[in-house]
Amino acid sequence: MAYLQSKPKSETIELREKYIGGACQLFFRSTPLKIVRGIAQFMYDETGERYLDCINNVAHVGHCHPHVVEAGRNQMSLISTNNRYLHDDIVILAERLVKTMPGSLSVCFFVNSGSEANDLALRLARVHTKKKDVITLDHAYHGHLTSMIDVSPYKLNLPGGPEKPEWVHVAPVPDVYRGKYTYPNDSQSEEELGKLYADEVGKICKLATDKNGGVCAFIAESLQSCGGQIFPPDGYLKRAFEYVREAGGVCIADEVQVGFGRVGTHMWAFETQDVIPDIVTMGKPMGNGHPVAAVITTPEIARSFADTGVEYFNTYGGNPVSCAIANAVLDVIEEENLLERARRVGDHLLARCEALMHKHLLVGDVRGRGLFVGVELVTDRDARTPATAEAKHVVNRMREEKILISRDGPDANVLKFKPPMVFSTQDADRLVDTLDRVLSELDDQWRTPITNIKLEVLVTPINDQVESSDTSMKSSFKQSVKAM
């Protein structure tokens, strides 16, 4: 078969261990998967075994979507060069993106990754404000560049993480389940919790103003992903933005994980908080797996950057192939009505997950919007004690059932669901039915350390035969994404 790779899995593992840095993450490290093909919401290993992908927010419109593949292939056969030459695709893409933005967000810079986008956003903010102090949220992750690790407590908090720079200020994450201010509280509504968390940003702004004359920027993921699928309470961002702007800073919305309609009701997650940022960053889903990302800002901030006289150039950012692919992704989002699909399927998935709380004591909290859902596991609902070992066990058991999920959060106890946008209600039912069964296995022993349970990964070949032709690929894709 064309999709089968030539090296046996054991040799691939041996070569990876020899030549790839040990710090590079590998899912299921003790028994890793060798994934060689993907269609829509499914991935296939070297034996042809099919897995339901519930965590890939990069393959936004589905693995190997034919329209996206064809757009990249066609443009690659013509020209791929840098954006110092005129080309239609870059301006068409910029115009389409700007039309999705509110307010005066209308100037684009194209880069290669979300990390690069956030790095450039911070650079724009510093040039415009002429200040350095940056406010970030606890447990936030904004990328792997040195500048982004500096503002990513998700990495700074690790035992081996670098020391937090003096100019970085960490505000409490607005987590109303496990954070500084939580529900239920008879005297506090969600809006009041939002005010309490925003006031923490206000305190930092005051201190930075008193000491250094103000702040440079407030950077926040519109919905925190690596921090554990966190949804800010109503009014939080609006009030936080007011404090930051009063201190002379700009507000950066990191949409790298949750942009392009994942929330279902809006194209961008920051819109759910009724705010307009000064800078928006995006990446991951923008290219459906191809490295392309962008920064969108206001004419005023862009002008400050241009007035320095320092030319901005990115060798690959905005090249014709990347822009053709990103335009194709937008085509699919629009033509297949994926926002509405994310809303409809996401509502179904969330409701089914919420039902698990009434059946399994391990489920402490369920939260979500669109195809961005988190299920937090706890060993004590009153104390909200993180069920870290249990969450790890569940992820591995789900893998045995040919369903791929992940876990995250500061205690690694939050099950994360952020599948390709072509996820169907049938897929959601399969996911939750299987999770229900796996949790049931733990119901009688959930107070016993799960680390003592032996995990065995079963790999049973199936009869799915994946063709390599375009015709078969399109047919398979349509079959895979068929909704109820």
Side-chain angles (χ1 to χ4, degrees), residues 115-267:
S115 295
E116 273 197 12
N118 284 327
D119 176 79
L120 178 57
L122 192 56
R123 185 176 166 192
L124 289 168
R126 283 181 172 154
V127 168
H128 184 69
T129 64
K130 296 180 173 57
K131 296 179 176 64
K132 190 170 184 180
D133 290 59
V134 174
I135 302 171
T136 187
L137 297 180
D138 203 7
H139 312 310
Y141 177 64
H142 295 291
H144 61 80
L145 301 180
T146 300
S147 60
M148 290 300 101
I149 294 296
D150 284 344
V151 296
S152 296
Y154 181 73
K155 296 294 185 182
L156 296 176
N157 292 340
L158 295 173
E163 185 177 349
K164 180 180 72 66
E166 183 179 352
W167 50 267
V168 173
H169 308 278
V170 179
V173 58
D175 179 356
V176 297
Y177 180 73
R178 185 180 295 286
K180 185 173 183 179
Y181 307 107
T182 60
Y183 71 82
N185 188 314
D186 294 336
S187 64
Q188 293 169 349
S189 64
E190 182 176 350
E191 188 173 336
E192 288 170 327
L193 287 173
K195 179 181 181 300
L196 287 172
Y197 276 114
D199 286 349
E200 294 288 336
V201 175
K203 293 174 187 176
I204 295 174
C205 287
K206 186 179 185 307
L207 290 172
T209 299
D210 292 344
K211 183 177 181 180
N212 298 320
V215 301
C216 166
F218 169 64
I219 183 170
E221 299 160 87
S222 300
L223 300 176
Q224 200 175 83
S225 181
C226 292
Q229 311 294 84
I230 303 301
F231 293 78
D234 288 345
Y236 168 72
L237 280 183
K238 181 169 285 191
R239 191 174 183 89
F241 278 18
E242 289 173 358
Y243 283 128
V244 172
R245 286 167 175 157
E246 286 171 3
V250 299
C251 302
I252 303 171
D254 181 342
E255 292 274 335
V256 172
Q257 297 262 16
V258 293
F260 290 92
R262 178 160 292 278
V263 294
T265 54
H266 300 79
M267 185 69 163

Side-chain angles (χ1 to χ4, degrees), residues 177-178 362-367 374-378 413-415:
Y177 180 73
R178 185 180 295 286
L362 272 172
V363 180
D365 190 45
V366 174
R367 46 192 181 258
V375 175
E376 182 151 357
L377 302 187
V378 296
N413 68 313
V414 181
L415 305 180

Side-chain angles (χ1 to χ4, degrees), residues 205-338:
C205 287
K206 186 179 185 307
L207 290 172
T209 299
D210 292 344
K211 183 177 181 180
N212 298 320
V215 301
C216 166
F218 169 64
I219 183 170
E221 299 160 87
S222 300
L223 300 176
Q224 200 175 83
S225 181
C226 292
Q229 311 294 84
I230 303 301
F231 293 78
D234 288 345
Y236 168 72
L237 280 183
K238 181 169 285 191
R239 191 174 183 89
F241 278 18
E242 289 173 358
Y243 283 128
V244 172
R245 286 167 175 157
E246 286 171 3
V250 299
C251 302
I252 303 171
D254 181 342
E255 292 274 335
V256 172
Q257 297 262 16
V258 293
F260 290 92
R262 178 160 292 278
V263 294
T265 54
H266 300 79
M267 185 69 163
W268 308 106
F270 68 76
E271 295 178 284
T272 65
Q273 287 266 316
D274 191 28
V275 295
I276 301 177
D278 302 295
I279 303 173
V280 179
T281 62
M282 58 194 70
K284 288 188 186 298
M286 187 173 175
N288 211 53
H290 182 85
V292 57
V295 177
I296 300 182
T297 190
T298 65
E300 293 75 19
I301 293 175
R303 190 176 306 116
S304 295
F305 195 49
D307 286 347
T308 63
V310 179
E311 177 190 89
Y312 178 75
F313 175 64
N314 188 309
T315 302
Y316 299 109
N319 74 79
V321 174
S322 295
C323 291
I325 288 173
N327 274 315
V329 170
L330 291 177
D331 290 343
V332 177
I333 292 173
E334 296 167 6
E335 294 168 8
E336 298 186 8
N337 202 15
L338 292 186

Side-chain angles (χ1 to χ4, degrees), residues 22 80 90 133 172 190 250 261-262 264 305 351 357 372-373 397 407 447 482:
S80 182
I90 188 173
D133 290 59
E190 182 176 350
V250 299
R262 178 160 292 278
F305 195 49
M357 292 185 65
F372 188 75
V373 175
R397 276 290 292 117
R407 63 191 177 111
R447 293 183 185 277
K482 184 174 61 178

